[in-house]
Amino acid sequence: MGSEDFMRNALVAALGEDKANNLVDQILLGTGSKGLDSLKWMDPRQVASIIHNEHPQIQTIVLSYLEADQSAEILSQFPERVRLDLMMRIANLEEVQPSALAELNEIMEKQFAGQAGAQAAKIGGLKAAAEIMNYLDNNVEGILMDQIRDQDEDMATQIQDLMFVFENLIEVDDQGIQKLLRDVPQDVLQRALKGADEGLKEKIFNNMSKRAADMMREDIEAMPPVRVADVEAAQKEVLTIARRMADNGELMLSGGADEFL
């Protein structure tokens, strides 16, 4: 009894509402993913291999359509010069005509899930570029941002303004921080805070009980040296949880001057 509700709730908790609802609908209707949607459930390296030899505009559409974290992993499989070209294209993309979507699905030899419709699809743009950049490895992100700045300084500034980085957590309200702390594993939080500035640390500690905050401070001070890569990985993990909660409406994130959800 209630198996559909249980399944839907479990998948929402694991995948977020959009992905979960899409998957539940496929299960209930007995249909598989087709067209672009089929790529959402593939390993990023497999998707990169599929689109590797396609025209850059096709690659741009695919990366703009998929979830930002998956697109970031796919983008990481490409050489540096290709990453730059694709990120510039994503940032400049505003909409895709139905004919282009139809052509893409024909290339993949599958029918587009849900049909393209009569209106142009609003995908890509600066926000999509910023979301993908958020999920890139820090070194890759830094190199790519410098390259974008060399090509178009104004675009780089706009993308950076839309990005949400670990330090931006200081802008999240106390209620949101408290919700986030309930979902972040303690060991991950310790490693993430090891490299955080004092202002953000105090923000986090002020949203814990005094006893928990004191214990966390002591644990961080007692930690042996931690590799920068491990600190950055922990911070990325915290941000992934924060973005998932933001997508579910559980907290509000803001990057730069604009709200970023």
Side-chain angles (χ1 to χ4, degrees):
M1 292 179 62
S3 58
E4 179 183 337
D5 289 339
F6 173 80
M7 177 177 65
R8 189 181 297 273
N9 291 336
L11 287 170
V12 166
L15 302 173
E17 191 166 356
D18 290 340
K19 273 189 175 181
N21 287 337
N22 183 38
L23 183 56
V24 169
D25 289 343
Q26 291 172 38
I27 293 171
L28 295 178
L29 295 174
T31 59
S33 298
K34 297 179 180 179
L36 284 170
D37 280 345
S38 66
L39 301 179
K40 291 182 177 181
W41 308 101
M42 292 184 186
D43 181 84
R45 286 169 294 186
Q46 185 180 2
V47 178
S49 177
I50 291 172
I51 67 173
H52 181 75
N53 293 318
E54 298 297 342
H55 188 279
Q57 195 61 16
I58 296 297
Q59 296 170 340
T60 301
I61 295 171
V62 170
L63 292 171
S64 297
Y65 184 81
L66 298 177
E67 296 291 335
D69 55 342
Q70 185 183 19
S71 293
E73 292 189 51
I74 296 167
L75 195 64
S76 296
Q77 306 300 313
F78 288 91
E80 275 188 28
R81 60 178 180 79
V82 178
R83 292 179 200 152
L84 173 61
D85 177 57
L86 290 176
M87 189 58 71
M88 298 288 287
R89 288 173 180 268
I90 290 168
N92 283 311
L93 186 65
E94 293 183 357
E95 61 181 31
V96 177
Q97 297 300 323
S99 58
L101 291 175
E103 180 183 354
L104 176 55
N105 286 295
E106 185 178 343
I107 290 172
M108 293 190 301
E109 297 181 351
K110 292 181 179 180
Q111 183 181 0
F112 180 62
Q115 301 302 322
Q119 297 182 344
K122 294 285 185 181
I123 60 176
L126 292 167
K127 186 172 180 180
E131 289 177 335
I132 294 172
M133 291 284 283
N134 275 325
Y135 284 99
L136 288 173
D137 175 85
N138 284 39
N139 289 332
V140 174
E141 174 197 305
I143 292 170
L144 186 53
M145 182 61 76
D146 288 342
Q147 292 173 330
I148 294 172
R149 187 171 287 106
D150 289 340
Q151 294 279 332
D152 189 329
E153 187 169 351
D154 183 57
M155 177 185 287
T157 299
Q158 292 181 70
I159 291 174
Q160 204 155 32
D161 285 346
L162 287 168
M163 289 177 65
F164 188 89
V165 296
F166 188 73
E167 289 73 19
N168 291 135
L169 286 174
I170 200 168
E171 302 167 11
V172 176
D173 63 29
D174 289 345
Q175 186 178 11
I177 291 292
Q178 291 162 20
K179 291 179 180 177
L180 178 62
L181 292 177
R182 288 197 288 269
D183 279 24
V184 176
Q186 289 294 298
D187 61 324
V188 173
L189 183 61
Q190 286 178 22
R191 289 198 306 276
L193 290 180
K194 183 74 173 176
D197 62 44
E198 290 304 316
L200 179 54
K201 284 181 181 177
E202 287 307 310
K203 171 85 171 184
I204 300 296
F205 294 149
N206 288 340
N207 282 283
M208 296 178 171
S209 69
K210 184 179 184 305
R211 180 172 176 275
D214 289 342
M215 289 179 61
M216 179 68 72
R217 285 192 182 94
E218 292 174 4
D219 289 342
I220 292 174
E221 290 175 3
M223 286 177 71
V226 181
R227 293 188 309 166
V228 172
D230 292 336
V231 172
E232 291 177 346
Q235 292 179 350
K236 291 279 188 183
E237 187 171 345
V238 174
L239 288 176
T240 298
I241 295 170
R243 292 189 193 102
R244 187 192 70 217
M245 295 177 70
D247 289 342
N248 293 335
E250 298 176 59
L251 57 82
M252 180 77 73
L253 302 180
S254 76
D258 298 317
E259 290 182 355
F260 187 86
L261 294 176

